[in-house]
Amino acid sequence: MPAERRDPASKARLFIPTTRERSLVRDQRQLTRSLEEVEKMKQELQNIMNSLKDKE
């Protein structure tokens, strides 16, 4: 859970992400990018397999 802080001027509550939360978000983004790359590779492989089947 983000750490709650008060803005000294406006007294508004600010929620500052912890280091753990920042690293979690970073890791989730990296995982998403990796999964997208895997999906692209799967599609390329499927295309290659289909083209080889057509040649036979």
Side-chain angles (χ1 to χ4, degrees):
M1 176 136 189
E4 181 182 325
R5 307 261 192 224
R6 290 273 181 184
D7 181 44
S10 68
K11 303 297 184 208
R13 288 190 301 175
L14 304 173
F15 294 94
I16 312 221
T18 62
T19 304
R20 183 175 181 271
E21 289 171 323
R22 286 188 195 120
S23 68
L24 179 63
V25 169
R26 186 187 67 239
D27 291 346
Q28 287 173 338
R29 289 180 182 152
Q30 183 178 2
L31 177 61
T32 301
R33 283 191 303 268
S34 296
L35 288 174
E36 289 170 356
E37 184 178 330
V38 167
E39 287 299 320
K40 286 179 188 176
M41 293 169 86
K42 279 176 50 180
Q43 186 61 42
E44 288 176 13
L45 182 58
Q46 188 66 41
N47 291 341
I48 291 170
M49 289 171 50
N50 289 340
S51 67
L52 289 175
K53 283 181 184 177
D54 291 344
K55 288 183 179 181
E56 291 179 354

